[in-house]
Amino acid sequence: MISRRLFLTGTAAAATALTYPAWGSALSPQASAAPETCELALRNTSLPGAVNAYVTGHDQATNGWVLLRPDGSVYRPESPGAPQTPLPVDCAIPLNPAGGAPVVLTLPRMFGARVYFVRDDKLDFFLNPGPALVEPAFATPSDPNYGRTWSFCEFTFNQDQLFSNISYVDLVTALPIGITLDGDATHTVAPLPEGALERIADGLTAQAGVDGHPWDQLVLRGGDGRVLRVISPQNLAGQTPFANVFDSYVDQVWEKYRSTDLRIDLQGGRGVFTGRVSGDTLTFNGGHTFAKPTSMDIFTCNSGPFANNPADSDDKKGLLARLGAAFNRSTVLSHADQPNGATAADYYKDPVTNHFARVVHANTPIGYAFPYDDVQPDGQPDVSGAAHDGNPRRWTVSVGS
């Protein structure tokens, strides 16, 4: 398991905290270091009309923002004189018509990076002093990009490897993105199936009628009523009644593990940690403690007791990832052994669960639905939608079915 959350920061050292198997085994054995550049092929497989792409990220050497121009050159924006200054350079990369040849560019090392696609339009990017790039906002109606049809995938390309993933952690849109990464092996990630966005929207609307929580508010529609995108609950997790989704479940978990051991295997030979609840604190051997999480903590996997603290030990980070996954999948109450006590057939069975993740996984074969969706029991398939290689030669990112 290679953590999306930590690897996208661009630091292999940080990523080792959650790696299973050990980090070294995930790298290509023929490569002592990844190459400086890789071919990036951008392809429109099936979408009619015009499609533009954008490539944004942070420079590996300077940490500054960079974007690729249509000719493949690197644009490094300067700090503007005022916030929300429109990006002065048009970095839209026009794709060839559906089924045509890919547009091939040279990809330099970048981290915390994205490839965007937008259909029949362009995207507006802005700069704040720093400079800081203001990327499109998918849940803010006042953003000029809100009504447009766009999506993105994520990647980091550093000295260790190129890591990419199809992520639904933030949103699901009508633009299906697929990945093929050619290196020491060929890695493929399938795009969202035809009609999946509408089925996901319907599933969440139905769930709102079952439990009364605002799952239907995750479905964002355009003025014509069509589904623009479905956003994840972490975007609304602090709002009532979303703030209380997991309250009863957390109470049951805390009560159970006052008298029962919760065992978490860090996997890869890193040992099994045993925890018990005392008062309001879950404590594991080694002194690793977790306070009672809120719904916000569970949905985001990055606040309260689940906050990502770089100073935490690798063991604490490994426990956090597996706890976060078990709560989102609602297996921590039913299975005292994590993550190996449960399989994918056990996920999302409790009425209190991350129904966004449940519905997404029911309608697409692969892809992150919450930040630690790459936690997997030993011997079980990876459903996270990640592709990585330590000797990348060509990374193809396609849009369309």
Side-chain angles (χ1 to χ4, degrees):
M1 178 182 72
I2 297 183
S3 165
R4 164 191 175 272
R5 178 179 291 282
L6 292 182
F7 192 78
L8 289 173
T9 66
T11 57
T16 57
L18 299 181
T19 295
Y20 172 72
W23 176 262
S25 66
L27 302 179
S28 302
Q30 294 93 333
S32 57
E36 294 283 343
T37 62
C38 170
E39 283 189 351
L40 170 62
L42 302 171
R43 184 168 184 260
N44 175 8
T45 59
S46 64
L47 299 181
V51 179
N52 286 301
Y54 296 82
V55 182
T56 70
H58 298 270
D59 180 75
Q60 188 70 28
T62 67
N63 292 340
W65 279 99
V66 295
L67 298 92
L68 295 189
R69 291 187 174 100
D71 62 2
S73 61
V74 176
Y75 169 58
R76 293 177 171 81
E78 297 181 354
S79 184
Q84 292 294 115
T85 297
L87 193 72
V89 173
D90 184 358
C91 290
I93 303 168
L95 271 58
N96 289 320
V103 174
V104 181
L105 306 174
T106 298
L107 183 69
R109 291 180 179 176
M110 303 167 67
F111 71 90
R114 290 177 173 178
V115 175
Y116 287 88
F117 294 104
V118 59
R119 184 176 177 179
D120 294 326
D121 214 328
K122 291 186 177 182
L123 292 175
D124 288 316
F125 292 82
F126 300 89
L127 292 171
N128 284 340
L133 185 68
V134 181
E135 298 186 271
F138 50 82
T140 305
S142 60
D143 188 280
N145 302 292
Y146 181 83
R148 298 166 182 164
T149 302
W150 56 274
S151 191
F152 60 86
C153 68
E154 303 173 319
F155 73 97
T156 277
F157 178 26
N158 65 16
Q159 67 277 3
D160 294 302
Q161 63 177 293
L162 193 156
F163 176 97
S164 58
N165 74 88
I166 303 298
S167 174
Y168 305 121
V169 167
D170 294 312
L171 74 163
V172 184
T173 80
L175 293 187
I177 296 175
I179 287 174
T180 300
L181 176 58
D182 295 307
D184 287 336
T186 296
H187 318 268
T188 60
V189 180
L192 193 74
E194 187 79 23
L197 179 65
E198 288 74 20
R199 291 192 294 273
I200 291 169
D202 290 344
L204 290 170
T205 300
Q207 183 59 42
V210 172
D211 63 15
H213 292 298
W215 303 102
D216 56 328
Q217 293 181 24
L218 301 177
V219 181
L220 305 184
R221 299 181 183 273
D224 57 0
R226 68 186 175 90
V227 180
L228 281 175
R229 60 191 67 94
V230 176
I231 62 174
S232 71
Q234 66 176 316
N235 297 289
L236 300 176
Q239 300 181 19
T240 303
F242 252 121
N244 305 316
V245 168
F246 278 96
D247 283 3
S248 63
Y249 188 84
V250 172
D251 288 343
Q252 292 178 74
V253 169
W254 246 238
E255 191 59 35
K256 173 176 179 173
Y257 293 109
R258 292 186 191 279
S259 57
T260 303
D261 287 342
L262 173 60
R263 295 173 294 274
I264 296 184
D265 190 340
L266 296 194
Q267 303 172 279
R270 293 194 292 150
V272 176
F273 285 69
T274 301
R276 284 283 186 103
V277 172
S278 177
D280 283 336
T281 303
L282 172 62
T283 302
F284 290 88
N285 52 293
H288 306 299
T289 61
F290 295 88
K292 254 187 172 182
T294 66
S295 294
M296 172 69 86
D297 304 333
I298 292 168
F299 283 130
T300 66
C301 296
N302 193 23
S303 65
F306 292 166
N308 289 265
N309 184 353
D312 283 342
S313 69
D314 287 356
D315 288 344
K316 176 72 177 287
K317 293 171 184 175
L319 290 168
L320 187 161
R322 287 155 180 83
L323 268 178
F327 270 103
N328 275 279
R329 294 165 176 164
S330 297
T331 60
V332 68
L333 182 60
S334 56
H335 293 76
D337 291 287
Q338 293 290 333
N340 290 326
T343 67
D346 302 306
Y347 300 167
Y348 312 114
K349 296 301 184 183
D350 196 285
V352 179
T353 194
N354 184 338
H355 286 288
F356 170 84
R358 176 184 65 79
V359 173
V360 166
H361 280 303
N363 288 282
T364 187
I366 198 164
Y368 279 89
F370 60 88
Y372 290 122
D373 214 357
D374 53 356
V375 169
Q376 63 195 75
D378 293 341
Q380 294 292 304
D382 178 17
V383 299
S384 68
H388 47 88
D389 198 288
N391 189 27
R393 297 190 303 274
R394 185 182 179 100
W395 182 41
T396 301
V397 187
S398 62
V399 61
S401 300

